[in-house]
Amino acid sequence: MPRKFFFTKAKKHKYWLKVCDRDWNDYNWQLNNRVTDPKELQEILGLSDKATKEISDSLKILRMAITPYYLSQIDSNEVNDPIRMQAIPTLAETDIKKTDCKDPLHEEADCPVPGLEGILTHRYPDRLIIYVTYQCAMYCRHCTRRRHAGETDIPTPMSKIKKAIEYIRKRETIRDVLISGGDPLTLSDDHLEVILKELRVIDHLEIIRIGTRVPVTMPMRITDNLCNILKKYHPLWINTHFNHPREMTDLSAEACQKLADAGIPLGNQSVLLRGVNNHPLIYKKLVKLLVVNRVRPYYIYQCDLSQGLEHFRTKVSEGIEIIENLRGHTSGFAVPTFVIDGIGGGGKVPVMPNYVLSQSNHKIALRNYEGLIFNYTEPTNYTHTLPLDIKKYSDPVDYKNTIGVAKLLTESGEVNLVPQNLARLKRRKK
Ligand SMILES: *Cc1c(COP(=O)(O)O)cnc(C)c1O
């Protein structure tokens, strides 16, 4: 049995003290007993009437549902407890700024099939997302997909999922499918397996990925039966969503290790949240806990401009400072990529400290994490030599099918990428 590393032992709030271990460790019990009513929350946490009314008044866009497990991990009665902030709504969510958007990443607009808006997002050439449910175990207060999350507790109709799968089947360029939601692991084992099975028979589909927060919010969902199902559909990857070291309880650590033991590579996508995790020391601890439990930190997201999230958003510089404190200071595979997801469907853009200081003909000046500045000498009398077997690849010379900035680097003849409605070009005489 591998060693488990965790920050705290999972707690059980005294409100549920009479619940037997069998129920407590049964994810269906956790799902069925989620706290959704502010009045019940008042009773559990001993809130004032005023605080309770504020919570009710906060639920305009995204409903509340908290698993008894996750709620029990709240440590203090402080409103700024990091677990509490992610689970319990505040009036700040009703403060919608002019620059906020319902769908900042244009996930609906980037749907190629009429009728599948909100079910399928195809943004990148070789991969896409399908949303198989809008239910989550817990509705994160910083949810970027808050326009849909929690809309219903019923899975996406199978007829629509089949249409999305049909779209994938018809396109050989799709090699990677992200199953997302909502939280796909709120589906039953059988339902999930039907979807996995349908996807796995598509020859050109290489990777299946699942995005889920249940290892954090309902770790008992990671059962032996689930792992036995998942491992039949390899290569299957899972990305989860830990934001704070305190979320890595013994039960969450066990959930991660079970998935890893099923041969599933695990990644973590966290969101930079003001007052929750926006400090290098928090991230240093978080990434260490992740890697010892075999979860590779994958992304740190700058918080999106979804409606009512301004109070959670940070300066971009805080993300850069976190990366500055990780790269070189700790194992390379413990360093995630800090990204800003482009408004209007721009996709993820990596942002990081500057490490390249200057460049000349064949020298490049670099700096490391210690501030040491050094050069790297590139080869002189250089002629580019192609790898011997390059002809075996489809487009060896100018890789004709590439797009975007990469295309400008080929011999395709493409010399520029021109923004639409460029005033300078419009001024030109016809
Ligand atoms: C994030 C995302 C993906 C996956 O991106 P990776 O960088 O490959 O993890 C795919 N499609 C959409 C719409 C996304 O937002």
Side-chain angles (χ1 to χ4, degrees):
M1 190 61 193
R3 278 206 292 161
K4 275 186 311 205
F5 296 85
F6 52 91
F7 196 77
T8 40
K9 231 176 131 48
K11 290 178 295 186
K12 184 177 177 184
H13 193 281
K14 60 178 189 291
Y15 183 76
W16 291 287
L17 226 47
K18 290 211 180 96
V19 175
C20 67
D21 283 355
R22 224 187 69 221
D23 281 347
W24 186 257
N25 293 318
D26 172 353
Y27 73 89
N28 278 313
W29 184 91
Q30 290 283 339
L31 267 184
N32 294 333
N33 287 278
R34 294 184 303 169
V35 177
T36 55
D37 177 5
K39 283 259 147 55
E40 190 184 7
L41 192 67
Q42 174 173 32
E43 199 185 327
I44 299 165
L45 296 180
L47 302 173
S48 68
D49 288 344
K50 181 167 169 281
T52 310
K53 182 171 184 313
E54 281 187 11
I55 289 169
S56 305
D57 292 346
S58 310
L59 298 171
K60 298 222 164 80
I61 297 179
L62 178 65
R63 68 196 266 207
M64 178 178 79
I66 315 166
T67 55
Y69 164 82
Y70 195 75
L71 194 60
S72 294
Q73 309 319 312
I74 294 177
D75 213 18
S76 72
N77 262 333
E78 301 281 336
V79 287
N80 51 6
D81 176 273
I83 308 278
R84 180 178 178 140
M85 283 177 76
Q86 294 181 67
I88 299 181
T90 61
L91 277 178
E93 285 180 47
T94 61
D95 181 10
I96 294 170
K97 301 291 184 196
K98 270 211 192 87
T99 49
D100 286 355
C101 312
K102 240 187 149 152
D103 180 12
L105 310 180
H106 279 202
E107 290 178 326
E108 322 262 313
D110 277 344
C111 173
V113 187
L116 290 189
E117 298 83 5
I119 313 284
L120 178 80
T121 302
H122 186 184
R123 168 161 310 146
Y124 295 106
D126 67 340
R127 57 206 187 280
L128 53 75
I129 306 182
I130 56 175
Y131 309 96
V132 297
T133 178
Y134 282 125
Q135 185 180 14
C136 290
M138 193 269 287
Y139 295 107
C140 305
R141 300 330 300 175
H142 54 276
C143 180
T144 188
R145 218 164 274 144
R146 55 204 298 107
R147 65 185 183 283
H148 282 316
E151 256 171 5
T152 78
D153 282 348
I154 341 168
T156 306
M158 208 53 211
S159 59
K160 292 202 169 180
I161 293 180
K162 284 202 164 141
K163 260 178 118 175
I165 294 175
E166 195 48 39
Y167 177 84
I168 299 164
R169 203 191 324 273
K170 284 195 198 130
R171 279 165 191 78
E172 292 202 358
T173 50
I174 307 296
R175 41 162 292 285
D176 175 5
V177 169
L178 284 75
I179 302 178
S180 186
D183 197 314
L185 295 190
T186 59
L187 298 183
S188 70
D189 289 354
D190 290 347
H191 191 127
L192 192 65
E193 181 156 24
V194 169
I195 297 171
L196 291 172
K197 213 178 240 162
E198 295 246 352
L199 286 169
R200 220 357 123 214
V201 294
I202 303 175
D203 271 344
H204 58 266
L205 190 63
E206 296 168 1
I207 301 166
I208 299 174
R209 297 195 233 182
I210 295 176
T212 175
R213 208 180 180 200
V214 301
V216 184
T217 56
M218 194 172 64
M220 47 292 278
R221 173 67 185 97
I222 310 304
T223 58
D224 292 340
N225 193 51
L226 176 70
C227 292
N228 286 335
I229 291 172
L230 295 177
K231 72 182 184 197
K232 286 196 272 176
Y233 299 92
H234 275 312
L236 182 136
W237 295 55
I238 286 185
N239 273 328
T240 185
H241 176 173
F242 285 87
N243 283 329
H244 192 279
R246 277 220 347 251
E247 293 174 330
M248 189 60 87
T249 64
D250 53 340
L251 292 188
S252 284
E254 193 175 307
C256 293
Q257 298 210 11
K258 263 187 164 168
L259 291 168
D261 286 345
I264 302 167
L266 299 170
N268 188 66
Q269 310 195 165
S270 80
V271 186
L272 196 50
L273 297 170
R274 182 150 129 207
V276 174
N277 59 9
N278 56 331
H279 197 284
L281 292 176
I282 303 253
Y283 265 97
K284 276 188 152 177
K285 184 72 187 173
L286 178 62
V287 299
K288 280 183 192 176
L289 284 168
L290 289 168
V291 298
V292 292
N293 288 297
R294 292 180 279 160
V295 184
R296 191 196 189 298
Y298 182 47
Y299 284 138
I300 299 178
Y301 288 95
Q302 178 69 16
C303 185
D304 290 330
L305 279 89
S306 297
Q307 291 179 321
L309 295 186
E310 174 123 337
H311 61 295
F312 273 131
R313 295 201 285 126
T314 62
K315 303 284 256 179
V316 171
S317 58
E318 295 179 69
I320 294 177
E321 189 182 354
I322 287 166
I323 301 301
E324 184 70 68
N325 277 275
L326 294 176
R327 174 62 64 199
H329 297 266
T330 189
S331 317
F333 55 74
V335 184
T337 306
F338 174 47
V339 294
I340 303 181
D341 216 332
I343 195 150
K348 298 173 186 74
V349 174
V351 179
M352 68 186 103
N354 293 323
Y355 294 102
V356 176
L357 298 184
S358 199
Q359 266 175 287
S360 75
N361 180 23
H362 67 286
K363 301 275 186 192
I364 176 165
L366 302 159
R367 64 93 170 180
N368 78 352
Y369 73 104
E370 301 167 306
L372 178 76
I373 298 176
F374 52 91
N375 73 3
Y376 172 81
T377 303
E378 293 178 321
T380 46
N381 296 325
Y382 182 71
T383 43
H384 183 53
T385 313
L386 284 171
L388 176 68
D389 62 344
I390 192 70
K391 293 239 153 51
K392 288 187 194 152
Y393 299 82
S394 57
D395 258 325
V397 185
D398 59 7
Y399 25 111
K400 281 195 198 65
N401 292 327
T402 198
I403 61 157
V405 178
K407 190 162 189 127
L408 298 182
L409 308 180
T410 68
E411 300 303 329
S412 64
E414 205 88 55
V415 295
N416 57 12
L417 292 170
V418 186
Q420 270 177 15
N421 302 320
L422 199 61
R424 181 173 57 81
L425 293 184
K426 281 203 221 153
R427 276 196 301 273
R428 285 183 180 174
K429 295 199 189 89
K430 289 274 148 60

